[in-house]
Amino acid sequence: MLSAVLSTHYMDTLPQSPDPEQARVVPRNINGNVVYQTEDEDLRLSLLEYSSVGIFVIGLSVGLVYLEKWGGYRARELEEEEATES
């Protein structure tokens, strides 16, 4: 979410043509708009985007493991209930 906010901020505030005086010469395409940023801004946004993808993948993996374990536990519970009812 922070990555999207920063991208939108960059799209609204950064120049759409190179500005060598401010060292804004690194192009970035944001939703079809090319803006020019400094190397530090480019690095900051790139790291933020990559880390957010990494956090998403870790969260998805942990969630899948949790669901798998919970599903197995619940299946054993149901089998025990059926066995005691018979």
Side-chain angles (χ1 to χ4, degrees), residues 3-82:
S3 172
V5 169
L6 190 57
S7 289
T8 303
H9 174 72
Y10 280 2
M11 186 174 65
D12 292 339
T13 60
L14 293 181
Q16 294 185 355
S17 59
D19 186 359
E21 292 177 4
Q22 293 183 351
R24 295 189 188 281
V25 293
V26 180
R28 178 177 290 268
N29 186 338
I30 303 174
N31 297 332
N33 298 316
V34 177
V35 295
Y36 290 85
Q37 57 193 357
T38 64
E39 288 183 19
D40 289 339
E41 291 167 336
D42 183 48
L43 179 63
R44 184 181 316 128
L45 186 54
S46 294
L47 287 175
L48 189 58
E49 288 173 343
Y50 294 136
S51 63
S52 63
V53 169
I55 290 169
F56 173 77
V57 169
I58 290 169
L60 181 64
S61 300
V62 169
L64 291 173
V65 168
Y66 173 78
L67 287 175
E68 182 66 31
K69 287 188 178 250
W70 182 78
Y73 174 75
R74 186 72 182 131
R76 281 192 299 275
E77 265 185 359
L78 291 173
E79 286 175 3
E80 289 174 3
E81 285 178 14
E82 290 174 0

